[in-house]
Amino acid sequence: MVATLSADALRHLRHNQGMTTTPTTPVDIDWSTLGFSYIRTDLRYLSRWKDGAWDAGTLTEDNVLHISEGSTALHYGQQCFEGLKAYRTKDGSIHIFRPDQNAARMRRSCRRLLMPEISDEQFIGAVKQVVQANERFIPPYGTGGSLYIRPYVIGVGDNIGVRSAPEFLFGVFCLPVGPYFKGGLTPQNFIVSDYDRAAPNGTGAAKVGGNYAASLMPGQQAKQTVIEGRHFADAIYLDPETHTKIEEVGAANFYAVTRDGRFVTPRSPSILASITKYSLLYLAEHRLNMPVEEGDVYIDRLDGYTEAGACGTAAVITPIGGIQYGDEFHVFYSETEAGPVTRRLYDELVGIQYGDVEAPEGWIVKI
């Protein structure tokens, strides 16, 4: 069983590790300039799977993993991860956004890579412990920042053959972050890549490192490309089977608004099921009263959409100003302003996360 630590237990842990900080000790961070980069926080969670079971796990100050040189995570990519956030609300409380959905997606990723699954109880309990232990790093309400939480599972232990690992580590760490794309709700331009993010029947639907490794070069090429003075934030990936339909936008999901007012997101077995995307589908239908659908978004039919965007835990919602496809550049609503549907969805989603808008049942876990 993994539960939130009591205040006494947390003080005892910090004392045993020789730490002089407390969860309320101020940190030397300029919240107004906070970006999306690694910042070491106080404590992180680690649990080991061995002999058929996960142990209870522990919090540790050590941010360096000590694993075998034969670990399957190093040689064969046997690993997966998640990303979710905690938010400081106006009244000073802490909200974690939909951690049960991240737990469920991590189990799907673990099954795909033959790794032992993490229960909701252990996953959410570990996340709560890490957030509570690093409370001083949660950006204050009103700064636009949040506490990014990164759970992961990796195959470890002495091994050399292509097989599932003899042991596994489940870890959770966190860090304060600002916007993933600079400028907040400012439209970004993207360019269609010739590369595939994932194979048609591969691991595209799992949140595994190999998918992101495959995106590094096309992402870099997109950011280095300049066409008629335009710069691009990242690459857009088409479906790997026909190269005719939009699948993902960099490390985020894609959405669009049709001319007749429907909210559309791509459907494909090689797309990672974004928790943010499914939250937006729900909000578009139930809060904005829009028809919603998951379906094909053909790259040569962009004229049928009035708005488009990228969405995900890190990106939240990033409006897409335009898409470069070959020699053609298609502008959606504007290259400088977010469209009205995008702005309403952003205000609704972010309002829920920061506690300013009533959340659908079960979306918020409070600490």
Side-chain angles (χ1 to χ4, degrees):
M1 180 178 179
V2 180
T4 306
L5 292 176
S6 68
D8 287 341
L10 189 54
R11 281 194 295 270
H12 180 70
L13 174 66
R14 288 175 178 268
H15 175 76
N16 286 348
Q17 298 204 14
M19 298 178 66
T20 58
T21 62
T22 70
T24 57
T25 301
V27 294
D28 185 19
I29 293 176
D30 182 355
W31 304 114
S32 65
T33 61
L34 191 62
F36 202 92
S37 58
Y38 181 83
I39 295 174
R40 180 174 176 173
T41 51
D42 291 337
L43 294 166
R44 64 274 308 133
Y45 172 93
L46 273 180
S47 174
R48 181 177 290 269
W49 186 92
K50 188 175 182 180
D51 299 327
W54 290 104
D55 65 24
T58 185
L59 291 177
T60 175
E61 192 178 2
D62 190 0
N63 72 332
V64 178
L65 296 179
H66 304 270
I67 64 176
S68 168
E69 61 188 354
S71 294
T72 59
L74 299 176
H75 300 278
Y76 308 123
Q78 192 180 32
Q79 59 84 251
C80 68
F81 65 97
E82 276 298 322
L84 64 159
K85 287 179 177 178
Y87 304 83
R88 180 77 69 180
T89 66
K90 185 181 290 186
D91 66 6
S93 61
I94 302 168
H95 282 183
I96 304 174
F97 185 70
R98 308 196 75 179
D100 60 319
Q101 299 301 304
N102 293 93
R105 189 170 65 180
M106 175 164 269
R107 283 196 293 274
R108 295 195 297 270
S109 296
C110 285
R111 286 196 295 271
R112 180 63 178 82
L113 269 65
L114 295 182
M115 300 193 294
E117 298 177 24
I118 311 294
S119 68
D120 270 7
E121 181 183 34
Q122 184 167 12
F123 184 98
I124 297 175
V127 167
K128 285 182 174 180
Q129 283 196 31
V130 169
V131 171
Q132 182 188 23
N134 296 286
E135 181 179 347
R136 71 195 189 104
F137 289 94
I138 303 176
Y141 174 84
T143 62
S146 55
L147 189 73
Y148 185 80
I149 306 159
R150 171 56 59 83
Y152 60 89
V153 177
I154 62 173
V156 297
D158 296 330
N159 179 73
I160 199 60
V162 183
R163 61 174 68 90
S164 188
E167 299 178 17
F168 295 87
L169 287 179
F170 166 49
V172 182
F173 66 95
C174 67
L175 58 152
V177 298
Y180 186 77
F181 292 112
K182 294 180 180 179
L185 201 63
T186 301
Q188 303 286 329
N189 294 327
F190 296 84
I191 185 169
V192 175
S193 176
D194 293 329
Y195 288 95
D196 293 330
R197 172 185 162 272
N201 295 302
T203 58
K207 196 168 178 67
V208 299
N211 297 339
Y212 295 82
S215 74
L216 293 177
M217 186 166 67
Q220 181 185 66
Q221 290 178 353
K223 294 166 188 174
Q224 292 174 343
T225 300
V226 181
I227 299 177
E228 297 182 355
R230 288 190 177 92
H231 296 261
F232 302 96
D234 212 329
I236 282 186
Y237 300 99
L238 303 181
D239 71 291
E241 191 165 14
T242 71
H243 293 163
T244 61
K245 296 172 283 188
I246 291 178
E247 288 213 336
E248 294 210 7
V249 185
N253 276 193
F254 177 88
Y255 72 84
V257 179
T258 66
R259 293 194 177 279
D260 60 356
R262 290 175 292 119
F263 185 83
V264 178
T265 66
R267 180 193 293 275
S268 166
S270 54
I271 292 177
L272 179 70
S274 165
I275 292 154
T276 304
K277 181 188 84 168
Y278 283 106
S279 300
L280 292 179
L281 281 165
Y282 179 92
L283 294 175
E285 181 177 13
H286 296 278
R287 299 284 174 90
L288 273 62
N289 298 314
M290 297 177 66
V292 301
E293 66 180 70
E294 290 182 86
D296 295 332
V297 179
Y298 288 95
I299 189 62
D300 61 354
R301 302 179 190 173
L302 298 182
D303 286 343
Y305 303 101
T306 59
E307 296 182 39
C311 60
T313 297
V316 189
I317 298 177
T318 297
I320 296 178
I323 293 177
Q324 184 79 38
Y325 177 50
D327 295 331
E328 300 295 324
F329 183 76
H330 176 81
V331 177
F332 293 95
Y333 181 78
S334 165
E335 288 187 74
T336 58
E337 296 181 14
V341 173
T342 294
R343 187 168 293 280
R344 288 177 63 193
L345 285 172
Y346 179 87
D347 290 344
E348 193 77 14
L349 177 64
V350 172
I352 288 169
Q353 292 169 335
Y354 285 101
D356 298 325
V357 174
E358 184 179 357
E361 185 176 356
W363 279 27
I364 297 296
V365 171
K366 296 184 178 182
I367 295 184

